[in-house]
Amino acid sequence: MQEQISRRVEQIQSWLTDNNLDAFIVAHEDEYLGEYVPAHNERLHWLTQFTGSAGAAVITRQSAAIFVDGRYTVQVRKQVPAGTFDYCHLIEQPPLTWTMESVELGARIAVDPRMHRGSWYQGAIDQLAGKYELVAVDENPIDLFWSDRPDALLSNVRLMPLDKVGQSSEQKRKTLAESLNKSGADAAIITELDSICWMLNIRGLDVSRLPVLLSHAILYSDGKTQFFIDPSRIEDREAFNSHVGQGVEVCLPETLESVLKTLETKKVTLDPATSNAWFKLKLEQYGALLLEIADPCLMPKAAKNSVEVEGMKQSHIRDGAAMTNFLCWLDAEVAAGNLYDEAVLADKLETFRRADASLVDLSFDTISASAGNAAMCHYNHENQEVPGPIIQDTLYLVDSGGQYLDGTTDITRTIAIGTPSDEMKRQFTLVLKGHISLASALFPRGTCGHQLDVLARQHLWANGFDYDHGTGHGVGHFLSVHEGPQRIAKAVNNTPLVPGMVLSNEPGYYRADEFGIRIENLELVVEKATNGDSVMYGFEALTRCPIDKRNIVTELLTEGEKAWLNQYHQKVWSDVSPLVEGEALVWLEEACKPL
C-alpha cells in the first residue's frame, strides 16, 4: 500500500508540473461540504488512506504533508506512510500556512473551489496577500487518476408525508420567499443538503448516516424552485409534483451552471459558511449581485413545528427501549464474565435499534469505547486494527443514535463495568452535576448557547477540570444529527435559542489513557412558566434512558439535583416500561428507582 500511495502522490506532482502549478490542497470535504462524505467522493482517503472525519493534505512538486487534529494523531501514523507524508496539526499548522512556508514567493497554489467553503476561499486570498497566486482549477486531479473510483450509490427520492413533517413544502417555500423579499433578494442558492430535503419534504439515502439526496436547489422570491437532481430518481413524477405543490422544476444536475448564467444582474443570496467557493466564483463571473446572507432554511428548520416535536418525542421513547434492552443485556453479560470487545457491543446495540421498523439508519457511527479508549472523545473502534476489549472495573462509554422516520436521536451513556474507582465516580458525579445544571436552566428570550455553556462546566471548573469540546449541538428532525445554527459551546454563537430547537446536553471529562465520561441527552427548547414578568425559556429532556446510578457519589449531589434525577428517571420508567418486557423490564425498574 505504501508504494501505491507514493505512486499516487507522484501522479499529482507530475500534474502540477504539467500545469505550471506549485502545490495542490486536498480537502477532506466534497462539493456538498457535508459532515459525511460518500465513498465515491473520499478523495483524501484515495490519496492517503486516512479514514478520519477531518483532515487535509498538500502536495507540492517536491513534498507532501497530511494535516489532522488532536483526535487523529495516533491513527494517522498507522494509516499514512511517514516516508511519503509529513505529519502536521490541522489547527496549529494549517495547510495554507504550511504551503506558504514550503513554496517560493510567487508560487501558484491550486485548489478545487468545489471542495472549499466560500468563506475559506476568501480568507485564503487575503492570507496570500498577493505574494502567492491562488488558482481555482476546473478539474480535480484526483478525479483524473482515480481509476477504480466506486460508483455513486444514489437512492430514490422518499416523499415525507404531511403527518410526519407538519407543514407542506409549498407553505415552506412561500414563507422562505417572503424572507427573500424582505432582504431584497431575487433568488437564494440552497446548497445544504438537509436544507433542500427539509424545504421539499423529501429524504434519501445518498450519504451514510445522513438521510439526504446529493442535489442543489435555487429558490426564487416568488417561491418557485429549481431542484437539480436526476429525474430518474423520482419514481412517481405525478406523486412528486402533487407532494411539493406548484412551482418546483426538476432540472438535470449538468444544467446547473447554465442556470447560474441566467442570474446576471439578479440579487442572489449565497451563504459563505455553507456554500462552496465554486458558486461564488461562477455567480461573480456571470454578473450576479451577491448577497452574503445565511441559508434562509436554517432557522425555520431548526425550530421544529408541533408535528416534528411530537415525532422527536416518540422516536426517543422507542430509542430508549432499544437502549434499555442493550444495557440490560450488557449488564447480564458482564456479570457472567463475558467481556466482549467494543465492536461486538456496537453491533449488538445496532441490532436492538433495528428491531424498530421505523429505523432507517444510524445517525452516526457508534462510539463504543472502554477505559483509555473512551478518553478520546471521538474514538472510533472501526479505525483500529483490533477493537479494544471491555475492561473490568472501569467505565464503558457508548455514544450512539438512530435516524427514524419521525426523528433523530443521539445519546451517550457511561456505564460501570464491574466496580469503577472512587476517582471515576467522583468525576462522573461532577459531570452529572453540570448536566443537571444545564438541563434545569431558565433563560430569557434572546439568550445564545455560549451564554449557557458555563452552567455545564462550573462544577468541573471549580475542581480544576474541563473538557475540550462543545457542550451542545443542534439536531435535525430525521435529518442531520449535527444541525446548525444553534450551538452550546465556549465559542461565541450569536444564534438565539428559540422554542422548538433541539440541542444536545453533553458535558464530559477525559483522562488520557485511563477513562472517559460523557452524559448526553437531547433537549427541546420550550417556554417555561414562572411567577416573574419576563418570558423565560428552558429545556425539556427528550432522551429516555437511565443514567447509571452506580457511578454516582450521592453525597456530592444537592437535594435539588437528586430530585431532578429522580424525576427524570420516573419519566423514563413511565414512557419506556410499556415497550420492554421480561429481564429488561426488571432491569429498567431497578435502574429508575429513586436515589
Side-chain angles (χ1 to χ4, degrees), residues 28 77 96 105 115 165 168 245 286 294 331 390 414 446:
H28 172 265
R77 293 175 184 274
L96 190 60
L105 284 175
M115 312 297 150
V165 295
S168 71
Y286 298 136
D331 273 3
I390 300 302
T414 305

Side-chain angles (χ1 to χ4, degrees), residues 113-127:
R114 299 173 301 159
M115 312 297 150
H116 300 274
R117 298 183 190 280
S119 54
W120 179 91
Y121 189 87
Q122 186 58 52
I125 291 175
D126 295 341
Q127 188 175 346

Side-chain angles (χ1 to χ4, degrees), residues 429-444 447-463 465-467 469-472 487-490 497 504-508 519 523 536-539 561:
T429 307
L430 293 178
V431 172
L432 176 60
K433 288 168 73 70
H435 179 95
I436 294 172
S437 294
L438 181 57
S440 307
L442 291 179
F443 47 92
T447 299
C448 302
H450 66 271
Q451 295 170 296
L452 301 177
D453 183 74
V454 66
L455 297 176
R457 299 179 192 268
Q458 59 180 313
H459 302 286
L460 287 164
W461 283 1
N463 288 275
F465 305 107
D466 198 5
Y467 51 93
H469 60 73
T471 298
R487 190 164 185 248
I488 301 173
K490 292 178 183 178
L497 304 187
S504 65
N505 171 2
E506 49 180 312
I519 304 170
E523 313 275 2
M536 302 299 286
Y537 296 152
F539 296 114
E561 290 165 342

